[in-house]
Each structure stands twice: as C-alpha cells, then as structure tokens.
Amino acid sequence: MAKTDLFEAPDYYLLDELLSEEHKLIRASVRDWVKKEVSPIIEDYAQKAEFPKQLLKGLAEIGAFGPTIPVEYGGAGLDYMAYGIIMQEIERGDSGIRSTASVQGSLVMYPIYAYGSEEQKLKYLPKLASGELMGCFGLTEPDHGSDPGGMVTNIKDAGDHYVLNGAKMWISNSPFADIAIVWAKDESGKIRGLIVERGMEGFTTPETHNKWSLRASATGELVFDNVKVPKENILPNVSGLKGPLGCLNQARYGIAWGALGAAMDCYDTALRYSKERVQFGRPIGSFQLQQKKLAEMITEITKGQLLVWRLATLKNEGRATAAQISMAKRNSVEVAITIAREARQMLGGMGITGEYPIMRHMMNLESVITYEGTHDIHLLITGMDVTGENAFK
Ligand SMILES: Cc1cc2nc3c(=O)[nH]c(=O)nc-3n(C[C@H](O)[C@H](O)[C@H](O)COP(=O)(O)OP(=O)(O)OC[C@H]3O[C@@H](n4cnc5c(N)ncnc54)[C@H](O)[C@@H]3O)c2cc1C
C-alpha cells in the first residue's frame, strides 16, 4: 500500500542559516524526490527483501552518484556540504538506498577518480554517474572484516593480464553490479585495486539472503576463480591499505550525514504520533516520560547536525582528518539507532509495523553501525588519535 510521507525536518538551532541557497535547493529537490519515489514504495520492497532497481535512474538524476566528482567526468562537481545533504535526505528515506548511492559514488567512482588512469576515468566515470553502469566495492572477506590488511584474495602476474583468485563477502550492490572495485594482494603482498567486469570468466556474484537489515539493498559475494583481468584494469596510482581506506573515508563522511537523516525521520514520526495518540484522555506527548524521549532526541539530532556541518566545512577546506570522520560516523549512527529504538517504543504496538518507517530504520541501522568500520573500531580510532596508542592491532 502506497504511503504518504508527511516528513518535516527539524531545525532547532536554525542551522538553515548556515547553508547557501544552492544547498537548500539541492536539499529541497532530493527531499521531494524521496517523498515521491522512495517513501511510497520502500516498505514493500524492504518486506519483500528486494532492491527497487527502478530508483537508479532517479538517483543519477538527483546527482547522488558521485556528487563531488568534477563535471568533466560526468559528476555533479558539488562541494562536501552538498554531498552530505544529499546523503542525509536519501537515508531519511532508507539506509539501503543511501548505501547504493554511497557505494557508487564513494567506493567505485572515487577510487577510479583518485587512483585511476585518465583512460579509466573517461571510460567508466560518465557511465557510472548516469547509472548506465553500476558498481560495487570488494574489500571484506569471509575471514577478514575489521582487519582487511589480512586479506587473502590475490593476483598473479601472467604477462599481459593478472590472474585473480579469492572471495569477498558482504558486498553491497554485488548481485547487479556491472563492475567491481576489488582489492587484492600482488605477489609481493602489496594491496592493489582492480576493476573487474561482469562477464569475465570465473567471476560470479551470489546473493546473500535472509538479512533482517538493509532488506531493500542487494548484498552478495564476489567469487574469483582464476579470473583473467587485463593489466589496463589495475588502478595505477595507489598501492597498500591507504587505497581502500581513502575510499572508506569518503563513504564514512556520507554516513555521518546519512544516519542523521534516519534519526530525523524517526523523531518526526514519533513527534507527530505523540500529538495524535490519545491515552488516559490525553495525547501521549503530554506525558513527561514521552517528552523526555522527544527532548533527548532533538538535543542529540541538533548536536549531530552541528558536528557534520563543521565536518563538511573542514572537508571543503581539505582539513578533515580520518579520525574526525570516524568520530562523526560513530556519533551519528549511535544517535540514530538510539532514537530509532526510543521512537519505536513511543509508537507502542504500531511501532513494530510497516505502517511507520521506524522499525525499518532501526533494523537498517544495525548494518550501518557495523559496516564501514564497526562502532567499536571507530571508538578505538578516536582512542588512538588522542593517546597515540593503537589498541586494536
Ligand atoms: C549489509 C552490509 C553491507 C556491507 N557492504 C560492504 C561492501 O559493500 N563492501 C565491503 O567490502 N564490505 C561491506 N560490508 C562489510 C563490513 O564492512 C564488515 O561487516 C565490517 O567491516 C565488520 O567486519 P566483520 O563483519 O567481519 O566483523 P569482525 O571484524 O569479525 O568483528 C566482529 C566484532 O569484533 C569487534 N572487533 C574486531 N576487531 C577488534 C579489535 N581489534 N578490538 C576490539 N574489537 C574488535 C568488532 O568491532 C565487531 O564487534 C558490509 C556489511 C554489511 C552487514
């Protein structure tokens, strides 16, 4: 059943005054698109555990694929504030749809743009920006998640091509992606990035089923059985873990904004419900315990908004550190997941149904708190940054 999206964004500290007219226009157009195209259908797709592929064209049109990639390569040439705002609005609709956009822009287009040859940029970027080609990012392996440096996927030099063997797991978009950015070790143990194309012999992408989270996002494996990858498909300008970590930085930045979008949707839904739902002859929003929940939610959202606004400013100036991005990703997801759980309770029994978006957000956020660096790993990154001591290796 199609749903009407009544979302009204909170702006408790008048943060709109810190945005340019262009940023507000971008936000309005993405918000409209989400209300029209995502909200009415997303619950059904999540229930069916199916990715709504028909959204790809619209995502490309609103500039969600590679917003910061320069126009000459098909990107939107926008700044990081705009990128964050786009991710916030999309995730307000659904974390799975934002995941698809994050992967395409930050984990597929960004490495080709930052580490690729001019030929690779011209060949792939415009088609990725328009959604004609979709990509995925293969870093995690069955036995190497938080510790990707231990990966066993490998390439061997075979003259004019490499032979790729190994497997990647938990790969967003893999079941339908046309290309995969794959991180593998060469014979000297250095991590290299490769562009692997669907159709290469020995390359398969089995889908992962039975997820209770990100159900409207397609997740799968990447399996490489003696895949011959032409040498021109290697990303020439990076080697080592800094390659994939540079991409993750971009994506984590987007999540820091995105998760707040999910938090805002839960808050807005709970606030509206609290004014309409009457118990003991009064709206439940008039009870102190419910007001406490709402007051804490808007406080945390507002603090999170200020954090990501400042992070965007630093990122635009090229001054945002990886540790600052870790802190913001961790904080926003924690804020969002706590708000989702509290908001769900405020809706009582209705909170567990698909009539409202809260339970879907709550389940989605269980993936968001784990991928792109787990909650605990980001905490340890902050700990390492302030003490100079690495507690996770
Ligand atoms: C829906 C979904 C989509 C994903 N999409 C992608 C994708 O597109 N591409 C991709 O490459 N990956 C993707 N991932 C993988 C994701 O990045 C990993 O799941 C994540 O990095 C954690 O790895 P893991 O699951 O192997 O957990 P593990 O690394 O096994 O961690 C298990 C637990 O141990 C903790 N832990 C690990 N090491 C330490 C330590 N040193 N100190 C303290 N605690 C520690 C972790 O915090 C965690 O709580 C996705 C995952 C999910 C769930």
Side-chain angles (χ1 to χ4, degrees), residues 13 21 57 61 125 160 229 247 307 312 343 350:
Y13 261 40
E21 285 311 309
K57 193 167 170 281
E61 281 165 7
L125 290 178
D160 64 341
V229 183
C247 307
L307 196 76
M350 289 312 289

Side-chain angles (χ1 to χ4, degrees), residues 92 114 132 308 332:
R92 210 276 302 165
E132 190 184 331
V308 295
S332 293

Side-chain angles (χ1 to χ4, degrees), residues 9-59:
D11 184 17
Y12 203 72
Y13 261 40
L14 312 182
L15 287 166
D16 272 11
E17 291 174 15
L18 300 175
L19 300 179
S20 69
E21 285 311 309
E22 191 196 9
H23 291 141
K24 283 187 257 188
L25 273 174
I26 290 167
R27 188 181 58 189
S29 74
V30 180
R31 190 171 292 167
D32 284 352
W33 181 79
V34 168
K35 283 194 173 198
K36 202 162 136 253
E37 304 293 340
V38 179
S39 305
I41 56 113
I42 195 63
E43 187 62 37
D44 285 347
Y45 278 83
Q47 295 275 359
K48 289 190 288 193
E50 192 181 319
F51 174 69
K53 267 192 173 172
Q54 71 276 20
L55 296 182
L56 291 175
K57 193 167 170 281
L59 280 166

Side-chain angles (χ1 to χ4, degrees), residues 82-100:
Y83 169 34
I85 288 169
I86 293 171
M87 295 300 123
Q88 175 189 291
E89 292 303 316
I90 297 175
E91 190 149 4
R92 210 276 302 165
D94 189 78
S95 304
I97 307 305
R98 198 269 307 135
S99 299
T100 291

